[in-house]
Amino acid sequence: MANFSFEAPFSANMVQSTTTSIPASPCRIGANTFFNQAAALEEGVRMQEPPTFSPVEHLAFEEPSNIVMMKDIGFAEDVGISPVAVTHPFQLFSPEAIKIMRSEIDKPEVRANHTYASNIANAQLRGYAAKHAPFTYAAWNHPETMAIVSKLAGVDLIPWSDYEIAHINLSAIKTEEQAKAELTALHSRKSSVHSDEGIDVSPPEDDKPIVGWHTDSYPFVCVLMMSDCTNMVGGETALRTATGEVIRVRGPQEGCAVILQGRYITHQALRALGAKERITAVTSWRPRSPFVKDDSVLRTVRPVSDLRELYIDFAKYRLENFEHRIHRELEEMRARRQAGQKFDTQGHKTFLQEAINFLMHTNNELVAEDEVRTGFIETIDVPDVVVGEVVEPTRDRACIE
């Protein structure tokens, strides 16, 4: 496989003034005191200003050790929108960037107005970034960040929408004793599954997995780890190949990410044991070009979203893509007429059928609000992978550990 490389595209000073003679006064403030207070005030104002994302300071990109291709796991070339299946973990953001992102999700207004839960997720934060997390929002929308994700994904991508920027999966906070108990329980197979793509872990005392295999709603996801994984065991992403075999990709460390073409690959992420918390941020991506296939659905996000926001984002980008496609068809028709060519009847009928399919797909995803089962997400009934389970690789299983 070809190596991927990335090339980046691209204290306040005191104002001096003329000294004038000031008559002595019992109320006069000494010059040093005045300047010290001014500097302190200026520093206080600076400290209150929200941090601004800078790719030079906050991006810490390092190439992944490997990228698994769709053909490596048995899929045909026409499956998906890219030949890339999944990357191994790679460093994306600096520790300082992660610290700022975590401070933004700790805001009371975020927790109060953007917390969701479902049958397969204990706690999630969704749709908060555009309004309450300017640093996070800018980080994922920056051209350099998008260039990194696009290059590793093998296709030019943009964030799916404002609503799907940095969706947060929150695990329950555990004590040191509870974290150690999880590692002990590993040997007795008291393990479950954990998903970074919108699915959280079950309580440690629950022996049954609360989530099975699934596919994502959007073409690609970038999963960012926001917790210290020093003592963590597990956390790998398990993928089902086209032949039904299971392979695993190790989980990311703090500040690291994994990119997955999850819309087309059935997958789950194994539960991580031995850590006091596990917080991940998942940003979903779609093709930048309106002419690239886009099979985005709302199946796994509709029940855990503010539909007033999600539906607008979905309908808006679908109509914009449709507008581009109509415009291109009109331009091609005009060009043929000017060139004196025959009308392309079959070609235009193909366009019309594709347009019908596009609009039907859009319509089917916009389920009436009163028909949406809030908090319920369907899963795929396939046996789960167990954390710590050692499986002998078969001849057909790709080795990507």
Side-chain angles (χ1 to χ4, degrees):
M1 194 197 79
N3 292 327
F4 287 75
S5 62
F6 174 73
E7 296 181 0
F10 28 104
S11 65
N13 295 322
M14 186 67 65
V15 178
Q16 296 183 349
S17 59
T18 303
T19 303
T20 58
S21 176
I22 302 177
S25 166
C27 298
R28 180 184 176 185
I29 301 176
N32 290 338
T33 301
F34 173 81
F35 286 121
N36 288 342
Q37 289 180 347
L41 179 60
E42 185 174 6
E43 177 68 11
V45 171
R46 185 188 67 81
M47 293 298 291
Q48 293 177 8
E49 293 178 352
T52 301
F53 177 77
S54 166
V56 176
E57 297 180 21
H58 300 120
L59 279 179
F61 175 63
E62 296 180 8
E63 295 281 351
S65 60
N66 190 22
I67 297 179
V68 182
M69 311 303 284
M70 295 291 280
K71 66 179 182 180
D72 295 336
I73 55 177
F75 286 97
E77 293 183 357
D78 61 346
V79 175
I81 63 172
S82 166
V84 173
V86 62
T87 70
H88 276 212
F90 60 94
Q91 188 72 37
L92 182 57
F93 291 113
S94 69
E96 178 65 17
I98 298 300
K99 179 181 178 181
I100 298 171
M101 290 176 178
R102 289 190 57 135
S103 71
E104 290 186 328
I105 65 175
D106 284 337
K107 294 178 179 179
E109 59 268 30
V110 172
R111 300 298 179 111
N113 301 315
H114 296 274
T115 299
Y116 294 85
S118 72
N119 58 308
I120 56 175
N122 291 331
Q124 302 171 319
L125 302 175
R126 291 179 49 73
Y128 68 93
K131 295 180 180 178
H132 304 294
F135 181 91
T136 299
Y137 184 82
W140 288 109
N141 279 290
H142 195 278
E144 291 193 32
T145 307
M146 290 192 284
I148 291 172
V149 173
S150 296
K151 183 190 54 180
L152 295 181
V155 60
D156 193 10
L157 299 173
I158 57 175
W160 189 86
S161 74
D162 286 354
Y163 198 82
E164 296 296 350
I165 289 177
H167 158 119
I168 299 295
N169 300 320
L170 298 168
S171 66
I173 302 298
K174 294 169 285 190
T175 65
E176 192 73 32
E177 292 72 20
Q178 289 173 325
K180 291 180 179 178
E182 281 192 330
L183 294 179
T184 302
L186 172 64
H187 302 290
S188 60
R189 300 300 186 189
K190 290 183 179 293
S191 57
S192 181
V193 294
H194 176 99
S195 172
D196 285 329
E197 295 78 31
I199 303 164
D200 210 337
V201 311
S202 60
E205 65 272 16
D206 189 351
D207 289 338
K208 296 181 179 180
I210 60 170
V211 61
W213 297 88
H214 67 285
T215 55
D216 296 330
S217 287
Y218 310 122
F220 272 93
V221 291
C222 183
V223 182
L224 174 68
M225 176 58 68
M226 301 179 69
S227 296
D228 183 1
C229 306
T230 302
N231 298 317
M232 193 176 290
V233 175
E236 307 100 329
T237 298
L239 312 177
R240 288 183 64 84
T241 69
T243 60
E245 296 286 341
V246 176
I247 59 177
R248 306 186 192 192
V249 177
R250 63 185 177 86
Q253 301 296 310
E254 185 177 19
C256 294
V258 169
I259 294 174
L260 170 69
Q261 193 168 190
R263 178 70 185 90
Y264 307 97
I265 303 171
T266 303
H267 61 281
Q268 64 180 185
L270 305 187
R271 180 182 174 188
L273 307 176
K276 291 190 292 184
E277 65 163 24
R278 184 180 177 88
I279 300 176
T280 55
V282 183
T283 298
S284 298
W285 302 76
R286 59 180 174 87
R288 181 188 299 273
S289 171
F291 307 113
V292 175
K293 178 177 68 172
D294 182 3
D295 296 327
S296 293
V297 296
L298 303 180
R299 178 178 56 85
T300 63
V301 297
R302 189 187 301 111
V304 288
S305 299
D306 182 346
L307 297 184
R308 295 170 300 179
E309 298 290 336
L310 182 69
Y311 276 6
I312 289 176
D313 284 353
F314 181 75
K316 178 176 178 291
Y317 103 82
R318 297 288 289 188
L319 286 175
E320 288 173 346
N321 281 6
F322 192 49
E323 181 181 29
H324 284 293
R325 296 181 183 190
I326 291 177
H327 180 73
R328 185 175 72 170
E329 180 70 9
L330 282 170
E331 289 299 311
E332 291 179 355
M333 289 173 57
R334 295 187 182 110
R336 292 181 67 88
R337 166 171 281 183
Q338 290 176 358
Q341 298 176 353
K342 179 183 177 182
F343 179 73
D344 184 8
T345 303
Q346 188 55 48
H348 188 64
K349 289 178 69 69
T350 299
F351 166 78
L352 292 175
Q353 186 58 58
E354 291 174 351
I356 291 171
N357 295 340
F358 183 91
L359 293 175
M360 288 182 63
H361 178 89
T362 305
N363 180 59
N364 291 338
E365 292 305 313
L366 296 172
V367 176
E369 287 82 352
D370 59 358
E371 296 178 9
V372 175
R373 295 182 61 184
T374 302
F376 177 79
I377 299 174
E378 296 179 1
T379 58
I380 300 173
D381 188 16
V382 178
D384 297 293
V385 175
V386 179
V387 174
E389 180 183 42
V390 178
V391 181
E392 292 298 325
T394 66
R395 184 181 62 183
D396 297 329
R397 181 182 284 116
C399 181
I400 58 175
E401 291 289 353

